[in-house]
Amino acid sequence: MSSGGKLEVILRVLGFLLSFLAAIVIGVGKETKVVPITISSQLPPFHIVVVAKWHYLSAFVYHFATNVITSSYGLLSLMLTLSSKNRHNNMLTLLIIVLDTVTVALLSSGTGAAMAIGVMGYQGNSHVRWNKVCDTFGRFCKQVAASAVLSLAGAIVFMLLIILAVVGLQKRPK
Amino acid sequence: MSSGGKLEVILRVLGFLLSFLAAIVIGVGKETKVVPITISSQLPPFHIVVVAKWHYLSAFVYHFATNVITSSYGLLSLMLTLSSKNRHNNMLTLLIIVLDTVTVALLSSGTGAAMAIGVMGYQGNSHVRWNKVCDTFGRFCKQVAASAVLSLAGAIVFMLLIILAVVGLQKRPK
């Protein structure tokens, strides 16, 4: 296997692992907290149980779904790369570059969506009167941030794979 | 100019226009509403003025910024494509493919962020107690949705440019 071929295998393993881990980290994201609520100063505070789960928010569901799809594709493309006997098959090369590009778009949009809701959770927004929730669900918010970083790193790896494929095409003898 | 070259120019013009329009549509996004607030049933309702602006929400600022950056790059890359005398300059081709890939990632993440906050505005979320705001700011929400669709279309155009460049490299005589 050429040095470009070895690098491609390493990057595909890395791309798969990063988006797989991103899906796991958000997928296990759940936090239960007991929060005191004061109704009247003459009464002792109530205690209610509040739960944060990733599938309560559609942006996190989308982020999870993009990472499941792209890690599955990462594994599939790794197997295709390893089993492909004809390294100069134009149709297969083009198909993989197209799917790598779709993967970059999916991972970027999922990361963008998760980060947008995550930042809103950290900061809140007075204009739309959405209160910050990360002071209650600190661990859950950290999991969302970690998953977004993993997913972003996955997107960068798939971008490197596109660049590697283009350099390979430029160097390739006819 | 070859048919691939003409198609590239058409796609770059389209990519520039779509992300430029996406930036304009979100950039002019502002809605002022007078909302009645009832404090007591014995008093007539108050009327307060509420304003929605794109730069109140960091996700929309990010979405605007990505579209400004990518439409500027779209115009620059169009000029480079039109002025480039050596169509087989490997370094320039590689640089443009790298920047097209970064553009796809930027537009996708910006669209993802804007859509995540837009969907939250339409639906609200009872778990984090964020109320929907699009029943008050209907026109503003439609502008956000239109800008996100334009930006997504822009991302697809830049994906097509990557595919066109790869097909061009595969067909190219050495």
Side-chain angles (χ1 to χ4, degrees), chain B residues 116-128:
Chain B
I117 297 297
V119 168
M120 184 61 77
Y122 266 108
Q123 299 182 337
N125 190 288
S126 59
H127 299 287
V128 284

Side-chain angles (χ1 to χ4, degrees), chain A residues 7-8 11-12 73 93-106 108 154-170, chain B residues 93-94 96-105 158-159 161-163 165-166 169:
Chain A
L7 186 56
E8 184 182 353
L11 287 175
R12 290 210 180 274
Y73 163 69
T93 305
L94 183 62
L95 179 70
I96 287 185
I97 293 176
V98 169
L99 293 177
D100 284 350
T101 312
V102 172
T103 300
V104 169
L106 278 177
S108 304
I156 292 168
V157 167
F158 280 98
M159 285 167 81
L160 292 176
L161 276 163
I162 297 169
I163 296 162
L164 186 69
V166 169
V167 172
L169 281 176
Q170 287 184 330
Chain B
T93 305
L94 183 62
I96 286 185
I97 294 176
V98 170
L99 294 177
D100 283 350
T101 313
V102 173
T103 299
V104 169
F158 280 99
M159 286 167 80
L161 278 163
I162 297 169
I163 296 163
V166 169
L169 281 175

Side-chain angles (χ1 to χ4, degrees), chain A residues 6-129:
Chain A
K6 277 180 200 157
L7 186 56
E8 184 182 353
V9 168
I10 293 168
L11 287 175
R12 290 210 180 274
V13 170
L14 200 60
F16 158 70
L17 282 178
L18 286 166
S19 55
F20 183 68
L21 279 176
I24 297 281
V25 169
I26 190 109
V28 299
K30 183 186 170 187
E31 191 168 1
T32 307
K33 277 280 176 86
V34 178
V35 181
I37 302 242
T38 307
I39 290 183
S40 158
S41 56
Q42 283 137 348
L43 290 168
F46 264 87
H47 284 88
I48 60 160
V49 177
V50 287
V51 184
K53 282 183 186 170
W54 64 276
H55 56 82
Y56 284 170
L57 289 138
S58 48
F60 297 158
V61 173
Y62 178 69
H63 175 71
F64 176 76
T66 56
N67 279 286
V68 168
I69 293 167
T70 55
S71 62
S72 307
Y73 163 69
L75 199 59
L76 183 75
S77 67
L78 176 65
M79 290 191 289
L80 265 177
T81 305
L82 287 172
S83 66
S84 169
K85 288 191 178 76
N86 183 4
R87 302 288 307 151
H88 291 174
N89 181 334
N90 270 352
M91 278 310 290
L92 183 65
T93 305
L94 183 62
L95 179 70
I96 287 185
I97 293 176
V98 169
L99 293 177
D100 284 350
T101 312
V102 172
T103 300
V104 169
L106 278 177
L107 286 176
S108 304
S109 62
T111 306
M115 287 293 275
I117 297 297
V119 167
M120 185 61 76
Y122 265 109
Q123 299 182 336
N125 190 290
S126 60
H127 299 286
V128 284
R129 284 193 276 171

